[in-house]
Amino acid sequence: MSSENHNPDRQTATAFVRRLLQNPALSSYTPLQKEDQIIQFFHTNAGQLSPSLSTPQFFGRRSWNEILSLLVSALVELVNLDLEPAIRRMIDERLDFRFVDFLQEGSSPSDQRQIRSEVEQAVRDVVERHDARRFLVGPFTAVYYPVIERYVEEIYQRRSYIHFELTKVQRLRMGKDEVAEMVKAATLLKPAVHLISAPGASPDERSAGLIQQDYADNATKTLTKRFSSLPEPLLRTAVNANVSFQENRFIEATARLAAVLAARCRGYNPDAVVDRGADWPGKSWFATARRNYRFYGFDGKMIDELYQIAAEKGW
Amino acid sequence: MSRRAISFLEGLVIVAILLVLVQSFLDDLSVLLDWSWDTRLTLLYAAFVLDLFFCIEFFCRFYFARVEGRARRYMTRGLGWVDLIASVPLLLFSSGPLVLAGLTGGAVIGGTTRMLNLLKVVKAIRIARVLRLLRTLKLFKRIRKVDAAMAQRHVTRAATTAASVVILVAVGFTAVDVAVGIPGLETDQERRLAGIAPYVDARGLTEESAQAELELFAEQEPLLLVAREDGEPRYSRYTDEEYRELFGPHDYIYAETAGTEVFLDLRPLHRAGARIGMLFFFAVLFIVVGYLVLYAPHFAVTVSDPIHVMRRGMEEDSYNLAVHIDPRFRSDEVFRLADSYNRVFLPLKDRNRGEGASSDLSVDDIAGIFDTGAEGGSPGESGNREE
């Protein structure tokens, strides 16, 4: 234990945050979602929290910025305790990289262990970067729960627009299970684009977190060099999931799908209670996304189809 | 008065209301099926006790409402008028006199001319029992759904209106009937009853020589129970033991004409009243149940639920569920508003929030932490909004 952990303020912050993390309202969320929720809670309620936390019972006469820094630091430390084993478990149990062989036709079989290791490294690198970490919330949740598999299954059942885009336009020569795994891998690697910028210099051009196509092309090249075992199409898909479809109509369908489902899963809660008179969470989310698809750079027709699926399946 | 005591008394009132329903049903059933007098007397006592309970309840509520300066509000919007007419008149004009008659063993006595008026009173008492069903409406006042105050108020108002209209029309119609005598089967029956004693007297059926004719008449006239001449019994339909077992003081009527005395069976008249009573019992019961089971959910689905969802969406940053719009009600004002909420408000709210997440936590959730310090207390304390 470091000497810093013996600091009384640090201990108070850890105890305070620990109790927040144990709040039943957050019990159904992933570790990163809990962190996201608590940070947002700090920002939204700073006016009410600051006077209470500036008392001798908590942090004495420290300024709110100092208190916030202590709290966030303690929060990240506590969340990491749960997050690290969760990342390992997720990559080992929830991801199957055999689809990589379909992307590298003619090449020798891929080294699955090496791919797994590099994906894990990429995710850990994102987690380490405080400015990139928040972009992992949605992707992590999308892979943590079987959301992507369910939607891909339905997409293949319907054989409609998204299926056409995947099989005829993007020409993926693989089964639906492999497509689902590719979308999952691309979703998880989506925030890796933030690894190539200097810390603190976020590449997003506006609050929707989108990047320019030129930036994406350079990012793809850099990441391909950094994670040499990962196929370029996978990394390109992951990076292009950050590009607006309004800017580039030729983005891969897998990237478009990854972008939508990562955004959908940021606040995803499998145990969400639906009020009488309200639509299902998935249907509600896609209904709103149908109106805002340009703002977030989504493919409108893809959103329409996913909305239909969510409405029909009661998701 | 402590909250626990109030809660106990409210619970007691609900139990009493449910007992009233059971008692009313059994009371009518006992008359229709000719149950023994002892059983009916027990039901009569039960009615008396319940009437007394609701009288006391009404006076207590009225007293406290008056002390707090809201007597008028209680009598109108608080359904105090229901408490009043479902308690005091019943005790004074229905269960009270009947229990008194039962205790004293007194019978309804009438000469030929008074008999019709007495029969009307019997009928009025009988129909007044229907007022007891108004107590069912008091149930609404005690079904508290904090989140759906509007639904509760609307359903209560609608059910109260429908059921009380049915009951008051029945009572009003009977009052008019008692006052002016609307012709019908029942009035024919009453006239028939009133005509038996003069007929027996005029035909000399109670003469010793006319015993066979009297028995033939009794066979054709089932309302005749006993015929006497100057105190001497000439005919009796049942044995004394059967009278004791089956008849109460208000089940027969006595009439006398020039020394000819007859005891007449009122039970057929009571049965006719019980039939009507049961009809109203089920009418009111099904009106109330119908409003609770059919109308209340419909109101919730089409009015209060969409409004609840929109209110949460507007008040809570993290609440983003759209209102479910049933295509059948799409043109309703509420759903047109909900459509705008779904299409305009939610997307705008989402865009305004941008990448920033919303939080399910509120300061109320962590009140426990501030009370006990960061270290103290159990984690559950901080998340329970009830606290």
Side-chain angles (χ1 to χ4, degrees), chain B residues 57 149 159 187 201 231 263 309 312:
Chain B
E57 189 223 357
T187 45
D201 180 56
F263 289 80
V309 172
R312 284 197 69 185

Side-chain angles (χ1 to χ4, degrees), chain A residues 12-38:
Chain A
T12 305
T14 303
F16 185 82
V17 166
R18 183 175 283 123
R19 292 202 62 193
L20 283 179
L21 284 167
Q22 289 170 335
N23 192 295
L26 304 179
S27 61
S28 304
Y29 288 122
T30 63
L32 277 173
Q33 281 178 310
K34 288 179 184 174
E35 179 184 305
D36 202 29
Q37 293 261 335
I38 291 174

Side-chain angles (χ1 to χ4, degrees), chain A residues 260-274:
Chain A
V260 172
L261 293 176
R264 160 69 191 101
C265 288
R266 183 160 191 197
Y268 178 78
N269 179 355
D271 300 326
V273 177
V274 180

Side-chain angles (χ1 to χ4, degrees), chain A residues 180-311:
Chain A
E181 292 303 321
M182 182 179 171
V183 174
K184 281 161 67 180
T187 305
L188 197 59
L189 290 169
K190 178 176 176 278
V193 71
H194 300 278
L195 294 176
I196 65 162
S197 61
S202 181
D204 51 320
E205 62 179 12
R206 56 185 183 188
S207 64
L210 299 171
I211 59 172
Q212 300 280 352
Q213 187 61 55
D214 295 344
Y215 187 93
D217 293 339
N218 288 331
T220 306
K221 284 178 194 160
T222 309
L223 289 173
T224 308
K225 284 179 195 160
R226 185 163 168 177
F227 303 107
S228 56
S229 297
L230 303 183
E232 193 267 350
L234 173 63
L235 287 169
R236 185 158 25 87
T237 292
V239 171
N240 281 347
N242 297 283
V243 176
S244 171
F245 181 67
Q246 315 307 317
E247 187 191 331
N248 180 3
R249 298 268 166 179
F250 299 104
I251 295 173
E252 301 84 349
T254 42
R256 281 176 266 159
L257 198 54
V260 172
L261 293 176
R264 160 69 191 101
C265 288
R266 183 160 191 197
Y268 178 78
N269 179 355
D271 300 326
V273 177
V274 180
D275 279 329
R276 239 177 25 181
D279 271 334
W280 297 102
K283 187 184 174 192
S284 294
W285 190 90
F286 284 111
T288 301
R290 284 169 104 182
R291 298 275 157 191
N292 286 344
Y293 73 93
R294 284 197 183 90
F295 181 79
Y296 292 112
F298 297 145
D299 177 353
K301 287 171 78 174
M302 192 173 272
I303 292 283
D304 283 343
E305 187 175 335
L306 293 172
Y307 168 81
Q308 296 296 339
I309 290 171

